[in-house]
Amino acid sequence: MQTHNGNYHFILLFILFVSSFSATAQDLLRSSCSHARYPALCIKTLSPYATSSATPMDLAQAAVRVSLARSRSLSTYVTTLQSQMQQQAPPSTDRAALKDCVLQIADSVDELTRTLTELKNMRVGTASFQWHLSNARTWTSTSLTNCYSCISGFGGSDGKVGLDVKQRVNSVGMLTSNALYLITRIGGADNGVGGGN
């Protein structure tokens, strides 16, 4: 009977221990995303990365990785679409806008790749910390600007291609906007700035 009670207490303590870690991770996620431009999307996107050992830097890196992955997929999509539209005649306004968009999204991929590298190189307390942080913010902001430029290039287009591309680019822009917020936030975070892999 005593052994049974001992096992019961061990299980109860283990559950409380795990629950405490889970609550801490969720608290970090909620506090990190609460003031993002798209908080619900932020929480949904980063929930898989909100582990008990996660830091603000980890979440910022995760946000950039998600945005980068979606940007790469988008780049492949618009490049393929451009190739298909080149076979069509006569040339359309959407085709011209798409040509610019291909270049803009490719630039976004490059900028987010640079951003991720900067975040990995950031170490709290070092002389280069603010320099890396400034670079990361600048490149992420430029990536976001490229998304908006792509969308505006289609103007008021209500064609199938224009609407589809604008919707896809807007989705990536929302992720990038959240990533930019989280990067800016780590500049004022109390700990965990040097974390991440």
Side-chain angles (χ1 to χ4, degrees):
M1 184 71 177
Q2 193 169 4
T3 302
H4 176 74
N5 287 337
N7 289 338
Y8 173 78
H9 288 131
F10 173 79
I11 293 172
L12 181 60
L13 287 173
F14 178 76
I15 292 174
L16 291 173
F17 181 72
V18 171
S19 298
S20 175
F21 266 161
S22 177
T24 301
Q26 291 305 309
D27 286 345
L28 173 62
L29 181 62
R30 282 193 293 267
S31 65
S32 296
C33 291
S34 61
H35 297 295
R37 187 167 186 179
Y38 307 100
L41 177 64
C42 181
I43 291 174
K44 178 181 178 181
T45 301
L46 299 181
S47 287
Y49 305 94
T51 63
S52 59
S53 60
T55 66
M57 171 61 84
D58 293 325
L59 293 184
Q61 287 192 23
V64 173
R65 285 192 183 98
V66 171
S67 182
L68 177 57
R70 289 286 295 274
S71 294
R72 283 173 173 159
S73 296
L74 177 62
S75 182
T76 299
Y77 172 77
V78 293
T79 299
T80 302
L81 187 59
Q82 181 193 28
S83 179
Q84 294 171 349
M85 290 191 70
Q86 283 177 342
Q87 311 302 319
Q88 300 175 4
S92 64
T93 303
D94 281 357
R95 193 165 95 178
L98 184 60
K99 180 179 179 181
D100 291 335
C101 191
V102 167
L103 297 176
Q104 289 155 349
I105 300 305
D107 285 345
S108 288
V109 169
D110 182 56
E111 285 142 6
L112 289 173
T113 300
R114 292 183 179 188
T115 297
L116 191 56
T117 299
E118 288 298 312
L119 294 180
K120 290 178 178 179
N121 289 332
M122 287 171 64
R123 295 293 179 270
V124 65
T126 62
S128 62
F129 171 74
Q130 288 297 333
W131 182 73
H132 287 303
L133 179 62
S134 178
N135 286 341
R137 282 197 304 237
T138 297
W139 285 325
T140 308
S141 178
T142 303
S143 176
L144 186 58
T145 298
N146 281 330
C147 286
Y148 292 145
S149 295
C150 172
I151 292 172
S152 65
F154 286 93
S157 172
D158 58 358
K160 182 179 178 181
V161 170
L163 291 175
D164 181 52
V165 172
K166 286 192 289 186
Q167 182 178 22
R168 289 171 184 262
V169 175
N170 185 61
S171 295
V172 171
M174 291 168 69
L175 291 170
T176 305
S177 176
N178 282 345
L180 177 59
Y181 168 75
L182 292 172
I183 290 169
T184 300
R185 187 176 182 275
I186 60 176
D190 293 330
N191 55 56
V193 177
N197 297 312

